[in-house]
Amino acid sequence: EVQLVQSGAEVKKPGESLKISCKGSGYYFTNYWIGWVRQMPGKGLEWMGVIYPGDSDTRYSPSFQGQVTISADKSISTAFLHWSSLKASDTAMYYCARQTSGYFPFDYWGQGTLVTVSS
Amino acid sequence: EIVLTQSPGTLSLSPGERATLSCRASQSVSSSFLAWYQQKRGQAPRLLIYGASSRATGIPDRFSGSGSGTDFTLTISRLEPEDFAVYYCQQYGSSPTFGQGTKVEIK
């Protein structure tokens, strides 16, 4: 069974760094893209970017380029989303999701990680 | 960037009725790289339709997608109680984007 299991909720202060994770199981992790999607409170879905764990090819939405870093460690079948300096506006639910290839939709989703940034 | 505009914002219908949701793109969507997702409160989205008209695994046949170019439609032929949710379209060509969502609520 394909599963994406995300790390738990986080509460951080502005300016702090954070890395959240998404562990894949039930399939060959290196053969599928993993993407990240933001959902701010009460709002819609925003595509942030994707990574191909096989070779770490990474693509970002222009809106998120330079704001976050997407990485993956194929040895532990885990993708990451990293902020070096959080802002209050980063408060949101973040989902990871699997993509079969570069031009496919997201077919499996993680349960989401709630990130709250508040002083 | 392709902007997707969904309409209506909210659709108020009764169980058993037909739901028709629209997704309009600011420019042509390559090779019908258009998907629809369902999101229930407190849950992750679920893929319903890809390639504009192909149902994802396990999706009931009351859900159907159509369209090409810049105009796409998701139709739910007869609403079941579990279908009341928010629906998003997504284009997954270069630089993917989502629409803002349509909420289907119980009338």
Side-chain angles (χ1 to χ4, degrees):
Chain A
E1 177 194 7
V2 173
Q3 283 194 308
L4 297 172
V5 178
Q6 298 185 228
S7 49
E10 301 273 3
V11 179
K12 291 289 191 179
K13 290 181 166 45
E16 293 186 329
S17 65
L18 175 65
K19 181 182 275 191
I20 62 175
S21 67
C22 170
K23 183 174 176 60
S25 63
Y27 71 99
Y28 289 108
F29 185 75
T30 53
N31 291 3
Y32 293 79
W33 294 76
I34 289 284
W36 289 94
V37 175
R38 183 175 80 175
Q39 188 166 39
M40 299 178 76
K43 302 298 184 183
L45 306 174
E46 299 174 89
W47 190 91
M48 301 177 70
V50 290
I51 187 166
Y52 187 74
D55 62 6
S56 294
D57 183 11
T58 309
R59 303 169 189 181
Y60 294 94
S61 160
S63 299
F64 291 93
Q65 179 85 48
Q67 308 305 308
V68 296
T69 302
I70 295 171
S71 62
D73 184 342
K74 59 187 178 183
S75 70
I76 54 172
S77 300
T78 302
F80 301 96
L81 182 63
H82 175 250
W83 294 261
S84 59
S85 180
L86 287 159
K87 303 185 282 286
S89 57
D90 292 318
T91 295
M93 180 72 82
Y94 293 88
Y95 293 101
C96 67
R98 190 188 81 161
Q99 186 175 320
T100 301
S101 79
Y103 293 106
F104 265 73
F106 292 129
D107 58 357
Y108 287 90
W109 293 66
Q111 82 276 19
T113 296
L114 181 62
V115 174
T116 303
V117 184
S118 174
S119 54
Chain B
E1 170 177 292
I2 297 178
V3 176
L4 300 178
T5 302
Q6 294 186 238
S7 61
T10 302
L11 201 48
S12 298
L13 294 168
S14 301
E17 289 194 295
R18 181 184 188 89
T20 304
L21 288 66
S22 172
C23 176
R24 180 161 291 176
S26 60
Q27 54 189 281
S28 186
V29 176
S30 305
S31 304
S32 294
F33 288 153
L34 194 287
W36 291 91
Y37 299 86
Q38 176 194 67
Q39 187 179 32
K40 297 179 182 179
R41 184 180 294 275
Q43 295 185 18
R46 176 175 72 144
L47 177 65
L48 299 175
I49 300 288
Y50 64 95
S53 60
S54 297
R55 274 187 300 276
T57 302
I59 301 303
D61 61 7
R62 64 180 181 271
F63 291 92
S64 63
S66 62
S68 63
T70 61
D71 287 292
F72 298 88
T73 301
L74 174 70
T75 301
I76 310 171
S77 58
R78 290 174 309 280
L79 283 164
E80 297 287 341
E82 63 267 28
D83 298 337
F84 291 91
V86 180
Y87 293 83
Y88 295 94
C89 58
Q90 181 208 18
Q91 64 82 17
Y92 50 92
S94 57
S95 197
T97 52
F98 288 95
Q100 84 280 16
T102 289
K103 181 180 182 181
V104 178
E105 65 175 23
I106 299 177
K107 186 174 181 180

